[in-house]
Amino acid sequence: MIVPTLARLLVREHLYKPIQGKVLTLGRQTIGMTYEEVTELLQQEGYTPPQQALEEITFAHDKKTRVGKGTDYITDELFFGLLGIKELYTMDVSSYEVADIVHNLNEPVPEALYEQFDFIIDGG
C-alpha cells in the first residue's frame, strides 16, 4: 500500500530524477489517498502533472485491491499516470488483484524478466 508519506517520497524522487520507462510494482498497490488528497500533495511538492498525462489518464477509484474496494482511493494507474508513467506493470503471487505477471518471489525470477523494468517498487 502506498500511504501518503510514501506517495510524497515517490513524488520527491520523481522531481529529483524523473521516473521513466517501464515501472513494476510488487503487488497491486492500493493508493491510500483520494484524488483530492493526491492533487494537494502534488501542489505541496511543487509538481504539476504534464498536460499530456492529464489528457491521457483515466480517473478511476480503486476496485481491484482488497483495501481499496469501497473507498474513494484512486488506482495505482492513476497515481503513476499523474507522474507521466505510461507503462505500469504489477507482479504478484496470484492474479486475484489483476496482476500482469504472476510469480512467487520465493522462487528465482525468470530470466525473461531480467532488465525489463526501469523502476521497481514494493509499497509494503
Side-chain angles (χ1 to χ4, degrees):
M1 179 170 184
I2 295 181
V3 296
T5 52
L6 180 54
R8 186 176 302 278
L9 289 173
L10 285 167
V11 172
R12 288 180 179 179
E13 176 66 22
H14 187 65
L15 286 167
Y16 175 72
K17 182 179 178 188
I19 301 168
Q20 302 177 42
K22 292 171 72 173
V23 174
L24 177 69
T25 64
L26 301 181
R28 175 72 56 195
Q29 298 300 299
T30 300
I31 307 299
M33 303 172 74
T34 65
Y35 184 76
E36 292 75 20
E37 291 168 333
V38 169
T39 55
E40 182 179 332
L41 181 146
L42 296 176
Q43 289 173 353
Q44 290 171 353
E45 293 300 322
Y47 177 77
T48 302
Q51 186 61 36
Q52 183 178 1
L54 292 172
E55 292 169 1
E56 293 176 356
I57 59 174
T58 302
F59 180 85
H61 287 112
D62 181 354
K63 295 179 182 168
K64 294 179 183 175
T65 67
R66 178 179 44 86
V67 176
K69 288 180 183 175
T71 70
D72 286 337
Y73 294 162
I74 63 168
T75 63
D76 48 1
E77 293 100 341
L78 176 54
F79 176 78
F80 285 102
L82 288 169
L83 298 181
I85 295 161
K86 296 178 182 181
E87 293 188 78
L88 180 67
Y89 301 88
T90 301
M91 176 188 287
D92 210 338
V93 70
S94 77
S95 61
Y96 124 88
E97 288 185 332
V98 195
D100 301 298
I101 302 165
V102 177
H103 178 73
N104 182 345
L105 285 175
N106 290 312
E107 302 294 328
V109 174
E111 285 188 35
L113 294 176
Y114 288 11
E115 299 183 27
Q116 294 299 307
F117 299 96
D118 301 293
F119 189 84
I120 299 173
I121 182 163
D122 179 3

